[in-house]
Amino acid sequence: MKRFILLSAAALCFLFASCTSNGVKPTGDPEKDAKALMEYQTQKTKEMTDAFAHLKLSKAGEIGKEMEKVNKEFQDFYAKNTENKAKFDEIYGKLATEAAEGVVNDIKGWFGDEGEKAEEAVENAAEQVKEAVEEVAQ
């Protein structure tokens, strides 16, 4: 009976520990870790965006703190595991770039030609200001 209680307690501790950071822990496999961290960050960013959308600022703050904790755990792990750090950084950097490009493409899709029109408007306004300054200077 005592053994059953100890095993149950150990299982609960393991479950609690894995739930506190959604089970995202560095494993030493740079490719697997980079993908897991990116997936975790993507999910948490969606949760944070949802929290902001519903004005749940304290929830968004909690998510941000949790993300910082997990990121630090990976940074600390790979600071000690220098043989795999470069590979982890390379893969994670590639994934982060792809994610950023996806966001940019999504934003372009939302606004369509509006982004280009806004750039043209800014350029035209800058040209008009330049011409006005030249006219005043003459």
Side-chain angles (χ1 to χ4, degrees), residues 39-69:
E39 288 173 9
Y40 167 80
Q41 289 175 331
T42 301
Q43 179 60 37
K44 289 299 175 182
T45 300
K46 288 177 184 176
E47 289 177 21
M48 187 179 286
T49 302
D50 186 53
F52 278 126
H54 292 94
L55 299 176
K56 297 179 180 177
L57 302 181
S58 62
K59 178 68 175 171
E62 290 172 13
I63 294 169
K65 287 178 183 176
E66 183 180 332
M67 287 175 70
E68 286 176 23
K69 180 181 171 186

Side-chain angles (χ1 to χ4, degrees), residues 15 20 25-26 29 39-40 45 49-50 59 70 79 85 99 102 107 111 119 127 130 134 138:
L15 180 64
T20 56
K25 301 262 185 220
D29 179 339
E39 288 173 9
Y40 167 80
T45 300
T49 302
D50 186 53
K59 178 68 175 171
V70 171
K85 183 177 184 350
I107 291 171
F111 294 105
E119 281 184 37
E127 189 62 35
K130 181 181 174 185
E134 289 174 356
Q138 293 174 356

Side-chain angles (χ1 to χ4, degrees), residues 42-133:
T42 301
Q43 179 60 37
K44 289 299 175 182
T45 300
K46 288 177 184 176
E47 289 177 21
M48 187 179 286
T49 302
D50 186 53
F52 278 126
H54 292 94
L55 299 176
K56 297 179 180 177
L57 302 181
S58 62
K59 178 68 175 171
E62 290 172 13
I63 294 169
K65 287 178 183 176
E66 183 180 332
M67 287 175 70
E68 286 176 23
K69 180 181 171 186
V70 171
N71 287 338
K72 184 171 178 2
E73 188 174 349
F74 276 84
Q75 289 172 358
D76 291 348
F77 179 84
Y78 279 98
K80 295 173 186 170
N81 187 353
T82 56
E83 64 191 43
N84 289 326
K85 183 177 184 350
K87 185 72 171 169
F88 174 81
D89 289 344
E90 175 189 343
I91 295 168
Y92 182 78
K94 182 179 176 184
L95 293 171
T97 300
E98 289 171 1
E101 288 171 356
V103 170
V104 168
N105 289 335
D106 287 347
I107 291 171
K108 284 181 181 177
W110 296 337
F111 294 105
D113 293 336
E114 296 302 315
E116 292 175 18
K117 289 179 184 176
E119 281 184 37
E120 276 183 42
V122 169
E123 288 174 11
N124 289 339
E127 189 62 35
Q128 290 174 358
V129 168
K130 181 181 174 185
E131 290 171 4
V133 168

